Amino acid sequence: GVERDIAPQGVIIAREFALQDKITENVVGSIAPKLQQAEIERVKRKPTERLDSYDFFLRGMAFTYRWSFAEACASFKEAFARDPEYAAAYAMTAFLMMIPQSMEGTPLPVEARLEAIRYAQLASRLANEDAFALARSAHVLTFLGHEYEQTDAMIEQAVVLNPKLAVVWFSRGWISIMRGEPERAIESFDRMVRLSPLDPLSRGVWYGIACARNALGRYNEGCASATRAIQVYPDTFSLGAFIMNAVPARRIAEARDALGQLLRLRPNFRVS
């Protein structure tokens, strides 16, 4: 009350606008994933022969969330077969083609890598004002194409186009890690968590933060972030992120336990 009485009117208005923006951001962040999920549920009940390109795209997202990547890729390809200018469908196809290398550590054959890059480049050319397509294609072009300057401009354009879209901040976080900018990565991942705390991408966020904290030498904080990722889904990445922080933090027993769990999941796993 007293602060409001003595504060200049312009400061009061600025604070009120900032509060409104924060409320809007939280509401949009919580509603958007639910709206897409509702659309996905609608498409699941629709006969395949009556699906249009958007329906196939939603079906592809449903398969992606279930980690059924072959079915997801087929759905996205059907989406852009029906609409050759469907930027988001090309971007998701490229993103899924990247997964064997980015998430499983299996290097892509040259032909597959070039095809994924081609789809991502096509998505970026068609994206116009589609922040989703720009973010996803920038992620692929950074990881597979090493086009750091171009993709940094793309992801910043996506932020300007739709700063309320969680996946934009997810891709910005990983692009920042690949560019060697851990503080910017943490800022991006924190923004995504605030926008969409229950997002299916959340495990990638937590081990991304663990990697960024490792780069900053904040190993105990990195362990805490990796533990969050393991709680969402224990895999080679979340467990690996814990191990690489636990060893320099001298938490050797915990690192050995995590390594044992990792090898039970992937007996043939090798660091190389």
Side-chain angles (χ1 to χ4, degrees):
V2 174
E3 182 184 359
R4 184 181 179 90
D5 290 339
I6 64 174
Q9 187 66 24
V11 173
I12 294 170
I13 292 171
R15 287 175 182 165
E16 289 176 348
F17 275 122
L19 178 59
Q20 289 173 15
D21 284 346
K22 186 168 183 59
I23 291 170
T24 301
E25 178 179 289
N26 290 340
V27 170
V28 171
S30 62
I31 288 176
K34 294 177 183 176
L35 288 176
Q36 188 183 66
Q37 192 58 46
E39 285 285 272
I40 287 171
E41 293 302 321
R42 174 189 63 78
V43 168
K44 285 181 182 177
R45 298 190 294 269
K46 197 171 181 180
T48 305
E49 64 272 12
R50 294 181 58 190
L51 297 180
D52 61 18
S53 57
Y54 177 61
D55 290 336
F56 272 107
F57 178 81
L58 288 174
R59 184 162 285 199
M61 293 303 295
F63 282 126
T64 301
Y65 292 148
R66 296 208 300 266
W67 294 75
S68 301
F69 298 136
E71 294 90 340
C73 205
S75 295
F76 292 128
K77 287 182 176 180
E78 187 64 38
F80 66 66
R82 292 168 181 250
D83 179 359
E85 297 191 355
Y86 205 149
Y90 288 114
M92 282 304 299
T93 302
F95 189 81
L96 292 176
M97 291 182 70
M98 177 181 77
I99 281 177
Q101 183 167 327
S102 65
M103 297 188 68
E104 299 168 10
T106 304
L108 294 179
V110 173
E111 298 80 4
R113 176 178 166 275
L114 292 176
E115 186 178 17
I117 290 172
R118 183 173 63 83
Y119 281 134
Q121 289 172 335
L122 185 54
S124 68
R125 287 198 298 271
L126 294 171
N128 294 320
E129 296 186 358
D130 185 342
F132 178 96
L134 274 175
R136 288 294 201 187
S137 54
H139 196 150
V140 175
L141 291 172
T142 305
F143 185 79
L144 294 179
H146 310 298
E147 299 177 16
Y148 300 111
E149 297 308 315
Q150 175 193 348
T151 55
D152 194 54
M154 288 168 61
I155 197 63
E156 292 307 317
Q157 183 183 354
V159 168
V160 170
L161 288 170
N162 194 344
K164 308 294 191 292
L165 189 61
V167 71
V168 167
W169 296 102
F170 176 82
S171 290
R172 187 178 187 262
W174 279 107
I175 288 169
S176 298
I177 286 176
M178 288 183 273
R179 286 174 56 86
E181 299 174 342
E183 291 99 340
R184 183 175 180 238
I186 292 172
E187 171 212 337
S188 302
F189 290 134
D190 284 346
R191 185 69 174 267
M192 183 191 162
V193 171
R194 291 199 301 274
L195 280 169
S196 186
L198 301 178
D199 199 285
L201 294 171
S202 61
R203 70 169 178 169
V205 167
W206 289 114
Y207 70 68
I209 293 174
C211 291
R213 286 176 168 167
N214 177 271
L216 293 168
R218 291 156 54 183
Y219 304 122
N220 281 308
E221 292 177 59
C223 286
S225 299
T227 298
R228 292 285 297 271
I230 292 167
Q231 288 168 346
V232 176
Y233 192 83
D235 64 0
T236 53
F237 276 88
S238 55
L239 290 162
F242 182 87
I243 294 163
M244 73 181 187
N245 281 286
V247 171
R250 301 185 183 279
R251 296 164 60 168
I252 305 303
E254 294 171 83
R256 286 194 180 118
D257 287 345
L259 180 59
Q261 188 176 353
L262 187 156
L263 291 175
R264 285 192 292 275
L265 290 171
R266 294 273 304 276
N268 297 321
F269 179 81
R270 295 291 181 273
V271 173
S272 58

